[in-house]
Structure formats: structure tokens, C-alpha cells
Amino acid sequence: DASVRTGVQLTNDAFELLNANVIAASVAGPIREALAPYLGQAPILELHKLQAYTEGGFFATHRDTQRGDDHFGTVVVLLPTSHTGGD
């Protein structure tokens, strides 16, 4: 939906993460540890899609579509790139 986001969207079967264990340790691990006390167990993080933005692209405030009965949130990982805006 172009009113919510622009850019290129890839589903998780369209790309491969190299060094996924490094990503899991540095991103998913701390998130699971932080949320586990509140949930009673460590949440499972699943890769759903990759969204890439070109110049002028955006991601507007919105509510995500729930992917299942146990889906309670979305994790957004911003890769280190030079940019302006996003305030």
C-alpha cells in the first residue's frame, strides 16, 4: 500500500541472510531477553519480509496486520546507512 510505505519489498523466501547466527545473537537475543520477564517466556522472532527504500521512500505510522493468534508486535531493524530525515 503506497500510502503506508514505498520501496522494494521481498518476502522471506526471496532472499537469504548470510551470517544469520550473528544477526540472531546481536538483534534477536537482546529482544528476547528484554521481553521474556513480561511474557513469561522468550518470544520467537520470525523473519517475515525485507523492505528496502530508495531516495524519497517512506514508512508511515500504521498498525501492522496480525500474522497469527500469538503475533503481538513487529521488530524493525535499521541497517547502518547514511541518510537524512526520519525525524
Side-chain angles (χ1 to χ4, degrees), residues 39-86:
L39 300 173
Q41 64 184 19
I44 297 169
L45 278 68
E46 297 177 357
L47 180 61
H48 179 65
K49 63 185 169 187
L50 173 71
Q51 188 79 27
Y53 300 94
T54 57
E55 186 174 346
F58 68 92
F59 185 73
T61 302
H62 67 283
R63 183 179 181 133
D64 279 347
T65 302
Q66 193 168 355
R67 305 286 174 204
D69 291 339
D70 57 353
H71 179 203
F72 68 91
T74 299
V75 175
V76 177
V77 178
L78 301 174
L79 301 175
T81 59
S82 60
H83 66 280
T84 58

Side-chain angles (χ1 to χ4, degrees), residues 17 19 21 28 34 38 58 72 77 80 86:
L17 287 178
N19 300 317
N21 58 338
Y38 302 100
F58 68 92
F72 68 91
V77 178

